[in-house]
Amino acid sequence: MFLSVCLYRRMWKCIPLFPHAAYMEWSCAIARRLLHDGLLKVHPEVSKAIAGQKAVVALESTIITHGMPYPHNLNCAKEVEQIVKEHSAVPATIGIIKGKMHVGLSESDLEYLAESKETLKVSRRDLPYVLSKGLSGGTTVSATIIAAHKAGIPLLVTGGIGGVHRDGQNTLDISSDLTEMGRTQVAVVSAGVKSILDIGRTLEYLETQGVCVATFGKTRDFPAFFIPKSGFQSPYNVTDEEEAAKLIANVHKFGQDSGVLIAVPIPEEQAASSLVIDNAIKQAVEEARDKGIQGKDVTPFILERIYEITQGLSLTTNIALIKNNAKVGSRIACALARQNTHGYNPPSLSSKGKGEAPAKPIVIGGCNVDYVIKVEHGEMMFGGPTNRSTVRQSIGGVGRNLADCLSRLGLNPLFISAIGSDINGDAILRFCSHMDTSAVSILPEHNTAVYCAVIAPSGELSLGLGDMDIHLQITAQYVSRFEEQIRSASFVCLDGNIPASTINYVCNVAKEHSVPVLFEPTDFSSACKPFETDSWKALTYTSPNLMELRAMNQALGLPVLTELPSVMDEVIDVALGMSRPLLKHLQCVIVTLGKHGVLLCSRSQDGAIPLQPRKAPQMSPSKLCAIHYPAISVRPEEMLNVSGAGDSLVAGLIAGLLTGQETHTCVRMGLLAASYSVRSLEAISTSISVNSVNPQRVIESVWPQPIYHHGSKAPTDREL
């Protein structure tokens, strides 16, 4: 009853509980489908740079459509992009062309925005209307932040941000730039706040929104767009690009939802006379008030009048400060890219042929909305009494979890799955915007899968309930649409949610083209699916727990224990014995042991277990062996969600394998990823990154020592 009431209340309200993004549920109804519905167009050069973890700089486009007269606007846009390129970064000017949000504009797109008289000034509020009507426009800082975040670009360069308008305490005229910076993890590099605004109140409002503000330079003097000093102070300063990049990186590591403002003072030699600018601003503001100009029309009017009053001086200064911001922003973006990969070999997957795109991994499996219910204390009571619990909603599914974690580790897998055309499906697409979901089928006649996990006070899974029928629609016929990608994949992961016929089809294609395959069973009933045919012999790896491993043995018709052991030494012996029949064809059985870590089982001549896929079967006599890696210790009170821990472990291990790491490093990457996820409210922790799971960053003494175990001589064909 308790479970039913919780689900009913939550479904009735139709409000997902995503802790870091609930604010977008209704205000971004259009944006949540941008990637999947083709509303977001990422330029190939930008997409390639993002996938390769290169430095990318987002650039807003209202400066083109509403900030400068033609042809100065076009020339400035081209020059700024060139400055970004000269500083070893990739420019991604963002704008809307005929109802499509473009991240990275072609030369013809730039010319269209610069010359057209029909373009709109588009902020967060305007996005749904402009996109739905197929209109064009320049994106303000707020709209550019949204697009950059969805495309995976962590840094944006602009001239000056919007702010609290003069007399804003009465009019409540406050730019959405400020609120967007307070709820999105994108760093903004600007020359402070436009000097036509109330700078003091703007800084106060940024503090209220939780935005970290730092001046770039040796002082904390906050700039005022045309002039380097506004008379106000930033809370902090960063002296160079490395320090700025470290500040931004720590926002991401900590999982903070708000962004960062790096305020870059215009060089003194390029600054305009403060007296000339102040007088022009006062005159322009009075004229705007007298003419009754309001809302988003105020800033363009005032800037144009300042340009006229100063006889072009403001435009010259404006162009100079934007170029300077582009130079500084590009250097910060490069430093940020270096810090994200420092001390760790980034993904470098070999191409199948000269001129072809690098091979990428593929994940085929389920995605669903998870309800995680954790009983607070004491023994769970059944038969009617209410168990005091916390209930949270998150996005899960074994396949989705694997794809999510691999994406956060820089491998950008293609995720093949199915969801319903409903609010839960919309939420999944929005939440997974950092992933390649182009192969996720949207089925109007089906419900998106829902899974409910009841977690005991100890942190262990006590009960699981699921509506998973849609996973049956991930058919071999649908997956065959992506056969070309499967043939050239660097790795394929299959989860047990998909039909056995789909597993059989993928295994046959992979075997024909020597593509390594990992099968991740979702429970002991799904673990049998590959063993319904000989398709299991095409697997390279599998990652069952002890119950799933027993089910695999049963499917092969082998005798198994009725009761599984609980003492660790016995667990390892039993796991090694049950792995024996699988290892005639599989290279490694990865037995997940929950809080006890992971056991690698394989056949080896010297006791070592190499994880890199073998190019040919091992023919010489070998012995059964296993290596037990204890888990990283996590206190019970820190354990928030175990639903994605095993998937994080496997994904971290795969990431190490695909980036050429040796076995110990691969496993340690997996254990680190798992330790992050069990302490996260989400199935896959948002703190997981190439940097955070780098074992070199953890003191060696922290790692529990692996324990080696050896079995008897490898079994004969008769024994198998």
Side-chain angles (χ1 to χ4, degrees), residues 170-227:
N170 296 316
T171 64
L172 296 182
D173 192 349
I174 301 171
S175 171
S176 62
D177 294 354
L178 306 186
T179 50
E180 198 61 51
M181 291 170 66
R183 56 188 171 187
T184 310
Q185 276 187 352
V186 172
V188 177
V189 176
S190 82
V193 180
K194 295 182 178 72
S195 48
I196 60 175
L197 304 171
D198 188 325
I199 296 176
R201 286 192 170 91
T202 297
L203 286 171
E204 289 290 341
Y205 196 81
L206 284 169
E207 180 184 356
T208 300
Q209 293 296 314
V211 179
C212 182
V213 179
T215 298
F216 188 86
K218 296 180 179 179
T219 73
R220 293 193 294 115
D221 291 322
F222 189 78
F225 199 62
F226 294 118
I227 53 179

Side-chain angles (χ1 to χ4, degrees), residues 48-328:
K48 183 179 179 182
I50 294 171
Q53 296 184 305
K54 302 293 179 59
V56 181
V57 174
L59 302 165
E60 54 105 340
S61 53
T62 50
I63 195 168
I64 303 172
T65 58
H66 292 80
M68 296 180 185
Y70 182 82
H72 300 289
N73 54 356
L74 179 60
N75 293 335
C76 180
K78 290 181 177 180
E79 289 170 2
V80 167
E81 286 199 344
Q82 185 58 38
I83 288 171
V84 174
K85 292 176 182 178
E86 289 172 355
H87 286 81
S88 304
V90 175
T93 303
I94 294 174
I96 301 176
I97 309 289
K98 299 178 181 178
K100 307 291 184 184
M101 179 77 82
H102 287 249
V103 179
L105 297 177
S106 65
E107 187 169 341
S108 60
D109 291 334
L110 285 173
E111 291 173 353
Y112 171 74
L113 289 180
E115 296 178 8
S116 176
K117 303 298 182 182
E118 305 298 325
T119 53
L120 301 176
K121 182 180 179 183
V122 184
S123 68
R124 163 183 269 275
R125 176 197 66 180
D126 311 301
L127 275 173
Y129 180 81
V130 173
L131 294 173
S132 65
K133 290 291 187 179
L135 303 176
S136 301
T139 52
T140 64
V141 169
S142 68
T144 307
I145 285 174
I146 293 171
H149 183 60
K150 286 189 171 294
I153 303 172
L155 184 139
L156 180 155
V157 165
T158 184
I161 63 168
V164 179
H165 283 249
R166 300 186 182 199
D167 200 33
Q169 70 275 18
N170 296 316
T171 64
L172 296 182
D173 192 349
I174 301 171
S175 171
S176 62
D177 294 354
L178 306 186
T179 50
E180 198 61 51
M181 291 170 66
R183 56 188 171 187
T184 310
Q185 276 187 352
V186 172
V188 177
V189 176
S190 82
V193 180
K194 295 182 178 72
S195 48
I196 60 175
L197 304 171
D198 188 325
I199 296 176
R201 286 192 170 91
T202 297
L203 286 171
E204 289 290 341
Y205 196 81
L206 284 169
E207 180 184 356
T208 300
Q209 293 296 314
V211 179
C212 182
V213 179
T215 298
F216 188 86
K218 296 180 179 179
T219 73
R220 293 193 294 115
D221 291 322
F222 189 78
F225 199 62
F226 294 118
I227 53 179
K229 296 180 181 179
S230 65
F232 294 91
Q233 296 272 297
S234 295
Y236 310 105
N237 72 296
V238 287
T239 57
D240 55 28
E241 59 267 26
E242 295 293 339
E243 199 171 320
K246 188 174 182 180
L247 173 67
I248 296 167
N250 276 281
V251 169
H252 292 266
K253 290 177 186 176
F254 192 70
Q256 195 169 322
D257 292 334
S258 52
V260 174
L261 174 62
I262 304 296
V264 183
I266 183 173
E268 292 281 358
E269 64 274 13
Q270 297 173 334
S273 166
S274 59
L275 181 60
V276 172
I277 291 296
D278 284 344
N279 289 336
I281 289 173
K282 289 177 184 177
Q283 182 178 336
V285 169
E286 289 175 2
E287 291 180 12
R289 187 183 300 114
D290 293 342
K291 293 178 181 291
I293 297 172
Q294 297 178 342
K296 65 180 182 180
D297 296 326
V298 172
T299 299
F301 173 83
I302 292 178
L303 289 177
E304 184 176 355
R305 284 298 295 135
I306 293 173
Y307 168 72
E308 294 169 351
I309 294 168
T310 62
Q311 298 180 336
L313 173 63
S314 65
L315 177 61
T316 302
T317 307
N318 196 353
I319 293 173
L321 69 86
I322 291 168
K323 290 181 179 180
N324 185 60
N325 291 350
K327 178 180 69 175
V328 173

Side-chain angles (χ1 to χ4, degrees), residues 40-55:
L40 188 68
K41 301 289 187 181
V42 182
H43 192 281
E45 186 178 350
V46 175
S47 180
K48 183 179 179 182
I50 294 171
Q53 296 184 305
K54 302 293 179 59

Side-chain angles (χ1 to χ4, degrees), residues 673-686:
S675 72
Y676 278 109
S677 288
V678 297
R679 291 177 289 182
S680 169
L681 292 172
E682 304 297 336
I684 302 299
S685 171
T686 56

